[in-house]
Amino acid sequence: MLIPHPLLGPRDAQEFTYLGDARLLERPDPAAENAEARFCDYVYLRDNPAGVHRELWFHEHGDRSWLVVTRDTVTHEILGAELAADVKGAGA
Amino acid sequence: MAEPDHRDRGCPVGRDEERWGWPDMRFSGFRLVAEALRGHSGWKPLWRDPAPQPAYDVVIVGGGHGMATAYYLAKTFGQARIAVLDKGWVGGGNIGRNTTIIRSNYLLPGNEPFYELSMTLWEGLEQELNFNAMVSQRGVLNLCHTDGQRDSFRRRGNAMRLAGADAKLLEADEVRAMAPFLNFDNARFPIKGGLLQGRGGTARHDAVAWGYARGADVAGVDIIQNCEVTGFDIDNGRVTGVQTTRGPIRANTVGVAVAGNSGRVMGLAGMRLPIESHVLQAFVTEGLKPAIPGVITYGAGHFYISQSDKGGLVFGGDIDGYNSYAQRGNLPTVEDVVEGGMALMPMIGRARLLRSWGGVMDMSMDGSPIIDATPVEGLYLNAGWCYGGFKATPASGYCFAHLLATGRPHEVAAAYRLDRFARGHVIDERGAGAQPNLH
Amino acid sequence: MTDLTPITALGTAEAPSVAFGPLTVAEDARLGLASLALRRGADVPEPMGLKLPGPGDCVAGAGVGAFWTGPGQWMLEAPGRAEEDFAAEVARNAPGCSVTEQTDGWAAFDIVSDAGAAPVDALLERLVNLPPASLLPGKATRTVLEHLGVFVIRRAGDRLTVLGMRSAAGSLWHALTVAAKRREDAG
């Protein structure tokens, strides 16, 4: 699989390590009333879709950026990649 | 140590054919000769291919562990009106896409008694089913390469023996006597010894599927193939049936055992699971003369190998490491696996690969499975087998049947609860945390 | 005080240099290195008059060079100054930035061609799995080479530097020289 790095162009997925669902960027508020239940869901539960999946990849053998890669889990087709810092910044 | 008596655990040691008389003994030497003389025209299908009835007491989704479940449910727990739904054909799912290894060499108390029950069921399986599953207890040898690893193997071996399993710690010269072809003096990862489970080995995966299917069919279970579940009927928090590609089927109890696709199927019931689906590749070489005595696993890389009765070297390694439902992997993992093989046994470089394949795994958040009720009344889940589901087939079926029939978990599967993550009672053999691709 | 004898990353007294046809592979034991990272929201400095390059690029200035290592991060190079406190000089010239001494973390290998760019391109095809566009002259990037994380710096068509972790210098030297030898044998 080739991941289209937003800064460096196409890179072999072998240069990356995989974390999982990009919803891991949405860390619950530890001060919220139901924080314990929300953290349990956050840490352990996954949508695990068969199809389009937004997921976190770390460019370990590269520029050490976290990317949000959009990929089809049925075909392995990679549909896009963004810097996680941009995604997080936009959501904050 | 005294031999453990598995009857105490409420488990059948299946040799009592007077209790279970087969209605017709379809296989015998005489029959084989007779059929050979008439062009094998007299063999009948091993199981019926019925259309689904409108309603059953129990519907089991998935024809792998699910088939074993249906078999024990009908035979041991005396339930009637059972259907097994498979989206494809019997033996076409993960039960036909694995490396056929059977073993019970786990460390943790939540796991080891369960896998040891599975091992005892393997040992009686062919008698139980009157079907040749080619169960071959040729031994499973885990190699260690450091002193620390030997210490951890000693601990695991002791845990195995405490649970009634067999385990033997081998010195390097004992390993050398068993497998002289290994790379003992590798500069980085010399072989220091190993942990041997002599009762471990392999079983023919297809025959396991077929044996359970025939046994379930004879016991009255309807095996409904090419029948994919497309939805659950849930009324006031209680399951009342399933929607399928072959029409709606009503049921009082529904058991889901679709490892690989658990997330997708349980999503139809509105549930999110502590599971990611990942792809694991496996490989077979051309047939060779007998070279590898049992199952051997490399302790410094992720690589395991055995030799099939047909002669092919069957091996595998790590999962690819990213979510996948593709049933095929990518080349970097192929390279990684064969590099592990070359480091462990350089002679493998002379063998030619015949084929490779990928299976989709339920990778759970702690690396251990789930056999439990769900928040939906009457809906039960058997999932999260990671890449260790094949060896668990008999005990998984037995314990899931126990749960479906009695509403209570079987003693050895009591730790496999769905809510263990929220309660902090994870069963994490690897100690990798909630990171499925590291288990 | 003990009389210590300096050795190169490969453990020799003198840095080795071996020719494989038109390519010469040599250790550079005298390259001073320091990393520079911006604090959040800070402006990009111009240390020692150097205009720091964008993603995937390298530049050379007067006695000092730099290549991009990540967003807001660069490695600065000082040829021939491994025995000086180069990081302190960078820190003085980049106030408010995070500067870390890197010289002793890395082993540097120069590959020079006396037959233009073609032998270097051919060698890179054997070494790294990257598109040619990311290996043109003036490009620098981190990638994998025989399971080792490395920086590949294409200083010019006929000139390449590979930086790898110093503790794996022998493995990297082996990888580079074997590939250069095979390229030579393949003609």
Side-chain angles (χ1 to χ4, degrees):
Chain A
M1 295 188 292
L2 281 177
I3 292 177
H5 193 296
L7 300 175
L8 296 171
R11 291 297 186 121
D12 194 311
Q14 237 187 322
E15 292 187 354
F16 295 78
T17 55
Y18 180 82
L19 185 68
D21 195 325
R23 286 176 69 169
L24 289 167
L25 289 172
E26 301 160 21
R27 193 168 184 268
D29 174 8
E33 204 160 289
N34 58 349
E36 188 177 339
R38 290 186 60 201
F39 263 100
C40 183
D41 287 1
Y42 169 79
V43 172
Y44 292 117
L45 299 187
R46 299 287 182 270
D47 289 340
N48 193 23
V52 175
H53 191 225
R54 279 162 58 79
E55 53 202 20
L56 289 165
W57 292 74
F58 178 56
H59 198 195
E60 182 163 25
H61 289 296
D63 73 345
R64 306 287 169 97
S65 287
W66 281 97
L67 302 187
V68 175
V69 176
T70 306
R71 190 178 58 94
D72 190 321
T73 60
V74 175
T75 63
H76 294 168
E77 183 185 7
I78 292 177
L79 304 165
E82 307 156 84
L83 289 172
D86 293 346
V87 174
K88 185 76 174 169
Chain B
M1 189 190 297
E3 282 294 305
D5 184 351
H6 294 285
R7 285 169 199 273
D8 290 344
R9 296 179 186 161
C11 140
V13 177
R15 294 185 179 84
D16 43 353
E17 284 174 8
E18 65 278 21
R19 178 163 62 93
W20 182 251
W22 287 99
D24 82 282
M25 181 69 139
R26 282 184 266 191
F27 300 113
S28 66
F30 172 77
R31 180 75 192 277
L32 188 63
V33 170
E35 287 296 337
L37 293 175
R38 53 174 170 156
H40 293 285
S41 57
W43 298 112
K44 296 282 194 306
L46 287 181
W47 53 86
R48 297 166 294 127
D49 188 20
Q53 294 175 26
Y56 291 92
D57 286 345
V58 183
V59 163
I60 295 166
V61 187
H65 283 201
M67 196 67 78
T69 305
Y71 170 78
Y72 291 114
L73 202 53
K75 191 189 145 218
T76 309
F77 294 94
Q79 303 271 309
R81 301 210 323 140
I82 302 165
V84 173
L85 314 184
D86 198 301
K87 72 172 176 176
W89 63 94
V90 171
N94 280 343
I95 202 162
R97 303 178 79 84
N98 53 71
T99 45
T100 77
I101 295 168
I102 61 175
R103 59 187 171 91
S104 60
N105 55 0
Y106 285 72
L107 170 71
L108 297 177
N111 273 332
E112 181 56 17
F114 172 85
Y115 286 104
E116 179 52 22
L117 168 60
S118 211
M119 183 57 78
T120 61
L121 291 173
W122 282 117
E123 288 173 325
L125 188 76
E126 289 161 325
Q127 300 296 323
E128 167 89 16
L129 298 175
N130 185 30
F131 200 90
N132 183 7
M134 294 165 70
V135 174
S136 170
Q137 294 179 288
R138 55 186 72 180
V140 172
L141 175 63
N142 303 141
L143 298 172
C144 66
H145 308 268
T146 64
D147 292 345
Q149 199 169 24
R150 185 196 283 120
D151 289 347
S152 77
F153 279 15
R154 179 176 284 121
R155 181 179 171 215
R156 179 149 58 90
N158 284 332
M160 291 163 62
R161 293 173 67 119
L162 284 170
D166 65 309
K168 191 177 177 206
L169 199 65
L170 302 183
E171 293 301 325
D173 55 349
E174 294 171 282
V175 175
R176 200 184 287 267
M178 282 177 66
F181 50 82
L182 298 175
N183 190 1
F184 285 86
D185 303 316
N186 183 300
R188 272 179 92 178
F189 304 115
I191 293 169
K192 299 276 195 182
L195 183 65
L196 175 69
Q197 182 177 29
R199 288 161 63 239
T202 58
R204 183 171 177 209
H205 48 5
D206 303 313
V208 174
W210 300 333
Y212 273 122
R214 187 183 68 154
D217 179 79
V218 169
V221 173
D222 278 1
I223 299 169
I224 300 163
Q225 302 178 81
N226 298 309
C227 181
E228 183 171 354
V229 168
T230 55
F232 292 91
D233 297 326
I234 297 169
D235 187 14
N236 278 329
R238 192 180 204 303
V239 71
T240 58
V242 292
Q243 298 290 325
T244 78
T245 51
R246 297 181 69 176
I249 301 172
R250 292 196 309 281
N252 299 325
T253 301
V254 176
V256 176
V258 295
N261 283 288
S262 299
R264 177 152 59 176
V265 172
M266 295 308 283
L268 299 172
M271 288 179 61
R272 297 173 78 214
L273 297 180
I275 285 171
E276 289 178 0
S277 294
H278 284 255
V279 61
L280 174 69
Q281 303 189 62
F283 310 86
V284 178
T285 70
E286 60 193 337
L288 303 167
K289 287 185 177 178
I292 296 178
V295 180
I296 297 175
T297 75
Y298 187 27
H302 201 154
F303 178 82
Y304 49 89
I305 188 166
S306 64
Q307 188 167 19
S308 76
D309 289 335
K310 214 158 60 177
L313 305 183
V314 183
F315 61 93
D318 261 327
I319 55 176
D320 272 39
Y322 43 80
N323 285 40
S324 174
Y325 285 90
Q327 290 196 318
R328 63 186 172 79
N330 275 302
L331 291 172
T333 305
V334 178
E335 184 180 23
D336 185 65
V337 172
V338 296
E339 281 174 343
M342 286 296 290
L344 178 66
M345 46 175 78
M347 73 174 186
I348 200 177
R350 304 294 291 275
R352 282 172 295 191
L353 266 186
L354 198 61
R355 59 196 168 91
S356 68
W357 67 95
V360 179
M361 316 281 121
D362 269 12
M363 296 304 296
S364 69
M365 286 289 163
D366 61 357
S368 296
I370 295 158
I371 302 177
D372 201 1
T374 70
V376 178
E377 199 184 335
L379 178 61
Y380 295 84
L381 177 65
N382 175 323
W385 292 98
C386 298
Y387 40 81
F390 177 70
K391 74 175 101 58
T393 305
S396 169
Y398 190 82
C399 293
F400 199 34
H402 184 283
L403 178 67
L404 293 174
T406 68
R408 288 176 290 106
H410 187 277
E411 183 190 355
V412 299
Y416 295 153
R417 305 301 295 270
L418 183 55
D419 65 356
R420 68 175 182 265
F421 302 94
R423 289 182 293 110
H425 288 252
V426 294
I427 313 165
D428 191 343
E429 291 269 341
R430 280 285 289 275
Q435 187 59 46
N437 61 347
L438 299 183
H439 284 290
Chain C
M1 191 180 162
T2 312
D3 189 16
L4 299 173
T5 305
I7 55 173
T8 72
L10 291 171
T12 53
E14 297 296 326
S17 173
V18 184
F20 300 92
L23 290 176
T24 301
V25 183
E27 185 188 352
D28 177 2
R30 305 195 60 220
L31 182 67
L33 294 167
S35 63
L36 186 157
L38 297 184
R39 304 285 173 88
R40 192 191 297 262
D43 292 329
V44 179
E46 293 192 8
M48 289 91 90
L50 204 58
K51 191 164 169 33
L52 295 173
D57 292 341
C58 65
V59 296
V64 62
F67 59 90
W68 185 89
T69 56
Q73 297 174 57
W74 294 265
M75 186 82 86
L76 276 73
E77 305 177 287
R81 295 171 62 188
E83 289 162 20
E84 299 174 25
D85 191 355
F86 176 56
E89 186 188 338
V90 174
R92 277 197 303 278
N93 286 281
C97 294
S98 298
V99 176
T100 308
E101 156 67 31
Q102 297 280 348
T103 305
D104 288 338
W106 301 89
F109 299 101
D110 288 333
I111 297 162
V112 178
S113 160
D114 61 16
V120 179
D121 288 335
L123 181 69
L124 281 168
E125 284 173 7
R126 290 160 187 272
L127 289 176
V128 294
N129 185 14
L130 287 176
S134 62
L135 296 166
L136 294 172
K139 290 285 180 187
T141 193
R142 188 181 216 146
T143 186
V144 189
L145 195 163
E146 299 230 352
H147 301 285
L148 300 168
V150 295
F151 286 109
V152 179
I153 306 154
R154 189 76 181 269
R155 302 191 189 284
D158 59 357
R159 183 171 285 268
L160 180 75
T161 297
V162 178
L163 297 185
M165 60 193 121
R166 194 177 183 90
S167 55
S171 300
L172 184 52
W173 174 259
H174 179 260
L176 296 175
T177 52
V178 166
K181 177 83 173 76
R182 287 185 178 160
R183 195 216 64 86
E184 181 190 10
D185 292 346

